[in-house]
Amino acid sequence: MSDTRIVSLKENTANPAPLGLLAFGMTTVLLNFKNAGFIEMSPMILAMGIFYGGTAQVIAGIIEAKKNNTFGLTAFTSYGFFWLTLVGLIIMPKLGWFPAPSNNSMIAFLAMWGVFTLLLFFGTFKLSRALQFVFGSLTILFFLLVAFHVTGKEEIEKFAGYEGIICGASAIYTGVAQVLNELYGRTVWPIGPMA
């Protein structure tokens, strides 16, 4: 008689979305403190962009792939590499590797990310209201930054900074809400109905 074993392949990986949302949100808030004029550009912002906004989001995206979440994989991995790219655009010229990107290059860069975010925003209609707000406000932020680079008006950059703080704070809220709601097994912080 053969020895037959039944193996369960139940997925029990932790939810990586709070990590990705918090990494995105906290880094976004700090950069937009600079855009709003509260602080200067500093190594603190660049380090957050590399290690938390960048690396932590890429890790969250990879875990989302294991959970078969294409949206989470695409969003977290993409925005993680956005942060790494943005830091590279700032640091590489300072190291003398390349000239600083032109204003037109930054307009193209930010516009492309705005379009990408708008397209992902449509995917959030199948997700929570909180994620709809995060992606909607991020779309607006990218296009405000495009407007700043087109016009050069500091008032637009400052307004974008305030809007970016709201966007980042909404991601922080959504990430913490997911952690608390999971821990307590009930809605502690609402994120809105799922579609």
Side-chain angles (χ1 to χ4, degrees):
M1 183 141 186
S2 68
D3 185 19
T4 305
R5 277 189 231 170
I6 298 174
V7 178
S8 173
L9 298 176
K10 180 183 174 201
E11 168 60 52
N12 60 1
T13 306
N15 179 8
L19 169 65
L21 287 163
L22 288 164
F24 167 78
M26 290 172 62
T27 309
T28 299
V29 166
L30 290 172
L31 176 61
N32 283 286
F33 279 166
K34 178 261 174 203
N35 289 339
F38 299 135
I39 61 174
E40 73 291 342
M41 178 59 81
S42 72
M44 176 274 293
I45 295 171
L46 299 176
M48 282 289 286
I50 294 168
F51 298 108
Y52 201 40
T55 306
Q57 277 198 96
V58 170
I59 291 168
I62 291 167
I63 297 170
E64 289 284 17
K66 181 174 167 103
K67 297 182 80 63
N68 200 29
N69 181 349
T70 304
F71 184 90
L73 162 69
T74 303
F76 289 132
T77 306
S78 295
Y79 292 115
F81 282 113
F82 163 82
W83 280 109
L84 294 170
T85 303
L86 183 63
V87 171
L89 289 171
I90 295 167
I91 289 178
M92 287 190 293
K94 295 194 181 302
L95 295 173
W97 293 356
F98 299 101
S102 69
N103 194 52
N104 284 342
S105 294
M106 289 307 297
I107 291 168
F109 175 73
L110 294 166
M112 187 58 66
W113 280 100
V115 170
F116 172 75
T117 303
L118 176 63
L119 296 174
L120 286 187
F121 170 68
F122 294 124
T124 65
F125 294 160
K126 297 288 285 179
L127 303 171
S128 68
R129 297 287 184 256
L131 285 173
Q132 289 173 23
F133 188 88
V134 171
F135 279 82
S137 61
L138 181 58
T139 300
I140 293 167
L141 175 58
F142 277 122
F143 288 115
L144 283 172
L145 292 171
V146 167
F148 162 65
H149 280 276
V150 168
T151 65
K153 292 187 176 178
E154 288 184 13
E155 310 85 58
I156 296 176
E157 182 184 34
K158 187 170 273 200
F159 182 73
Y162 290 123
E163 200 276 347
I165 292 166
I166 292 167
C167 172
S170 72
I172 293 168
Y173 173 89
T174 306
V176 172
Q178 288 186 15
V179 170
L180 294 178
N181 294 349
E182 180 182 311
L183 278 173
Y184 285 90
R186 61 184 172 83
T187 299
V188 177
W189 285 11
I191 58 172
M194 306 294 259

